[in-house]
Amino acid sequence: MNENIKELEKKAKAAKLGGGRARIEKQHAKGKLTARERLDILLDEDSFQEWDMFVEHRAVDFGMDEQKIPGDGVVTGYGKINGKLVYVFSQDFTVFGGSLSEAHAEKICKVMDHAVRNGAPLIGLNDSGGARIQEGVVSLGGYAEVFQRNVLASGVVPQISLVMGPCAGGAVYSPAMTDFIFMVEDSSYMFVTGPEVVKTVTHEEVTAEELGGASTHSRKSGVADLTFKNDTEALLMTREFLSYLPQNNKVKSSTVATDDPVEREESSLDTLVPEDPSKPYDIKEVINKIADDGEFFEIQPNYAQNIVIGFTRLNGSTIGVVANQPLVLAGCLDINASIKGARFIRFCDAFNIPIWTLVDVPGFMPGTSQEHGGIIKHGAKLLFAYAEATVPKVTLITRKAYGGAYDVMSSKHIRGDVNFAWPSAEIAVMGPKGAVEIIFRKDIGDEQKIEKRTKEYRTKFANPFIAASRGYIDDIFLPHKTRGKLCHSFEMLNNKKQENPWRKHDNIPL
Ligand code: HXC
């Protein structure tokens, strides 16, 4: 018995030391925390319950039978964030570079299975050199087991990936199938193949940072949803982020008490939209002025900035926000914005999060680069996502709602539950100038006539009244009233039940 207790202590000590002091120091020197230090920050104090600390790999080749570290490079278990259950795995770069062995994969799969069965979010802290090279195909099999579970968990429990070190090869595909990816600036990378392989195959010379650093993935590729300055900030913000999410797809997010009055009137909103329709304004200012306590948790702030997405709360309830941004590309919808919006809407719909849409959109972006890039297919994603969503949908048209983009942005016709407009709304097939140039083409060149026609068109169509006379808009009101109108609408929709026809799954244009 005593022997066993001694052995237990010895193994636990070895597990906690991971790859040893020298490697821990190396990790710290890079500005990175260890796998366990990260969990200490992520989880509520003393809430972590560890499993599989004594798991070891089973490889024998390349002297691996001599190198066994209890835990095998990943710390797994469950704990609490803001008092709520979460499952976690945290890869330990000090043990074989956090690489994934068969046993390491089995540990991750165990917590994933529990997360799905018990209905709680899964958070993965990734810091891994990919498949454990010494194990060969066995480690590839391990990855595939994780991938399969990512897919089965998708839309069942929220899955969040923090990328906190180099993630190469298989290490990027599991995060890619989760709901959100957060990266740490300057110390994390994601690529399918690293700079050396790129050089051999394509003769391109590129640094790891350029190829797959946090900046690249948050600005260019759109792979990362958020980036943070360091490990601590990433972990603390993940805690805040979790407060907006429900535990699983069967329940709603918890409400958070607020002292912000439902009927709070924000008079500055009345002058926020410029008189001149060609002048921009910041849609985030509108969101902040209406949200509970001005709080808005934006996702992908540096990618496809012509659409803004994120979470906020109205009268304490989590709301997903999708908004055209007039400050960037005049708020036009392009390929990247459509994909960004569509994926977010599908997350909200899967997890019972109501959607508030703010519309100020001149249309889809014209041009060969968009058409050749497939704006038809990608724009359809946004339309598809809105049309299939059955969560409460409240739409506010602040200014332009032109053409197909009017239809797409959660219009009444695709089951918008409540559709509002400010008096500044312009709801029409297209803007006055474009319209006049088409229907009065013969008058082009006659400035006076064109001006008269444009004025005529503007008076007739550039307003919310025709749409409201048809019931496509439920109410028009002065902007300062907006918070109350939205809070009442979402409260009214709280028990909304709507089902789509039975099918195996839909076929969104991928
Ligand atoms: C085993 C690994 C490893 C791996 C790193 N190590 N990656 N051990 N299998 N995949 C070990 C190193 O030998 C080293 O051990 C320690 O981890 C730290 O690695 P360093 O190279 O010293 O660290 P660093 O300079 O920071 O570089 C990190 C790295 C690099 C960029 C991740 O190690 C690297 O390129 N590793 C290989 C990446 C890779 O090609 N993985 C396979 C992908 S294929 P010591 O003992 O010295 O501390 C794949 C297929 C799955 O994943 C596909 C599914 C779709």
Side-chain angles (χ1 to χ4, degrees), residues 19 23 26-27 30 32 64 67 92-100 127-136 139-141 143-144 147 165-174 189 191-197 208:
R23 290 193 183 86
K26 224 169 145 185
Q27 179 90 344
K30 288 183 199 156
K32 293 162 69 182
M64 288 299 278
Q67 304 176 58
D92 184 349
F93 192 78
T94 69
V95 179
F96 306 116
S99 60
L100 184 133
D127 193 353
S128 168
R132 174 112 23 111
I133 295 164
Q134 297 90 332
E135 288 204 8
S139 64
L140 297 184
Y143 261 129
F147 301 156
C167 282
V172 298
Y173 273 110
S174 172
Y189 311 100
F191 29 70
V192 174
T193 52
E196 293 304 319
V197 179

Side-chain angles (χ1 to χ4, degrees), residues 289-440:
K289 286 184 166 163
I290 292 168
D292 285 3
D293 308 304
E295 280 174 17
F296 176 49
F297 196 106
E298 190 177 355
I299 314 286
Q300 292 197 305
N302 297 316
Y303 181 75
Q305 292 172 315
N306 40 333
I307 204 162
V308 172
I309 58 170
F311 296 107
T312 189
R313 291 191 184 87
L314 286 172
N315 199 19
S317 298
T318 295
I319 306 286
V321 180
V322 181
N324 307 119
Q325 172 59 288
L327 275 185
V328 180
L329 301 174
C332 262
L333 289 172
D334 61 0
I335 293 170
N336 292 347
S338 301
I339 295 171
K340 174 178 165 182
R343 183 158 165 77
F344 181 70
I345 291 160
R346 281 165 70 84
F347 177 82
C348 291
D349 191 45
F351 289 103
N352 313 311
I353 298 173
I355 298 166
W356 169 27
T357 303
L358 293 97
V359 185
D360 188 346
V361 60
F364 280 97
M365 179 79 101
T368 48
S369 91
Q370 289 292 308
E371 294 291 353
H372 295 178
I375 183 70
I376 296 173
K377 184 179 274 200
H378 300 298
K381 290 179 174 145
L382 186 60
L383 172 57
F384 200 112
Y386 265 126
E388 72 174 341
T390 56
V391 287
K393 293 183 279 190
V394 178
T395 307
L396 171 71
I397 302 177
T398 58
R399 192 167 59 178
K400 296 169 199 160
Y402 288 146
Y406 156 75
D407 278 342
V408 169
M409 294 301 293
S410 200
S411 65
K412 187 59 101 195
H413 324 281
I414 55 170
R415 305 190 296 184
D417 293 294
V418 180
N419 294 69
F420 290 138
W422 284 351
S424 47
E426 305 175 11
I427 307 170
V429 173
M430 59 176 72
K433 195 169 172 288
V436 167
E437 280 172 8
I438 291 172
I439 53 182
F440 299 110

